[in-house]
Amino acid sequence: MNDVNPSLGYRRDKMAERLLQSMSRVAGRCNPDCVKANNEQEDYDASQSAALVAVNLISSARFMLKLDTEFTEYSAQFLMDNAGKEDDPGEMDQQRCQVTTENCLRYLAEHVWTKREDRQRDMDQQRCELTVKDCLELAFKKGLPRREHWAHLGCTFKAPPFACQIPRVPVKGEVVEAKTYDEAFKLLMHQPVGAKLHLFSPQIDRVGEGIYDGPATGNETCYVGLRDVLIASVEEFEGDTVAIVKICYKKKLSFIKVSLTRMFLSAPHNGDESKFIGPTGLLVDFIVPRLSIN
């Protein structure tokens, strides 16, 4: 005999539907404590940058393959929240994961009405640094919710257990990596390509509408590090071959032109071999999600 109460299932479905509607209405907004924490955050977060590039790659690939009828943004924060949990058993049937008034109040008491310092400490303890490859593989295993159905990128509040009820788009495929420009150009014929960009300051700060061509001679150049970027296209500009690159730098998204002809070599300073770079191009470590349409 089936003991499931149909009216109880209906109420749960309605609660889940209202949760989805409320998430859409407040997309991009959060608690003032979260806003303050994000403002105090350092200019660069490697995991956030990797997650952002990964969802941009997936959105672009799905649109170009006509899996989405329009360019659809997916949640980078979902990848941040679920890193390291790929092998967790299904939560859908667990009591705390049902969308009920009791579970909503429990979540608020345990994670929202707590001190900001306690929440931040818990988040710092749980976090591991993600790569674009990590994020793509996680998306293949877990699927992705739309951006407006999840917390904003950088949210300091732990996702509630009942967030597993939020619909996700299944993402199937494989990660394809390339090391050379020639291999990357072949991938770029079909979709945007992820990569890492060698950043030098102040050159990156001054690039504007010109070409970013890496370090200058003399003592005015400081190596910032590698940053995850998305290559949208390749074109000729002022006699140089450049990649049109989308980058998040100092918390701002922008498109810049990166020289594909410039090579550089950075010698170690004071015997520190870890500082040795090159010879290499400015863009390295290319990656794409090759999606399955079946």
Side-chain angles (χ1 to χ4, degrees), residues 129-178:
E129 188 168 303
L130 299 176
T131 65
V132 174
K133 184 177 181 179
D134 293 333
C135 293
L136 292 175
E137 290 178 340
L138 176 59
F140 290 151
K141 291 179 180 179
K142 292 270 191 177
L144 285 171
R146 295 169 67 106
R147 181 182 61 83
E148 65 269 25
H149 292 162
W150 204 265
H152 66 87
L153 183 59
C155 184
T156 60
F157 291 91
K158 182 179 180 180
F162 46 81
C164 64
Q165 303 285 347
I166 292 174
R168 304 175 202 167
V169 173
V171 184
K172 303 299 181 183
E174 62 178 342
V175 175
V176 179
E177 297 177 277

Side-chain angles (χ1 to χ4, degrees), residues 202-232:
Q203 286 73 29
I204 187 63
D205 302 284
R206 298 173 179 172
V207 62
E209 297 298 318
I211 299 175
Y212 172 70
D213 58 2
T217 56
N219 297 321
E220 287 192 17
T221 296
C222 174
Y223 183 60
V224 177
L226 284 168
R227 295 292 185 266
D228 289 306
V229 298
L230 181 144
I231 304 173

Side-chain angles (χ1 to χ4, degrees), residues 65-116:
L65 290 171
K66 296 182 170 56
L67 295 172
D68 290 328
T69 56
E70 59 183 3
F71 187 87
T72 304
E73 294 184 83
Y74 294 98
S75 173
Q77 184 61 34
F78 172 84
L79 298 173
M80 300 281 292
D81 289 336
N82 287 275
K85 302 176 184 176
E86 297 91 330
D87 298 323
D88 281 1
E91 300 171 320
M92 300 294 284
D93 297 325
Q94 295 180 19
Q95 187 63 34
R96 283 170 63 94
C97 296
Q98 303 304 318
V99 186
T100 64
T101 302
E102 180 185 359
N103 284 342
C104 289
L105 291 173
R106 181 187 290 118
Y107 170 77
L108 290 171
E110 292 177 356
H111 300 288
V112 179
W113 297 331
T114 55
K115 291 182 179 179
R116 174 189 160 197

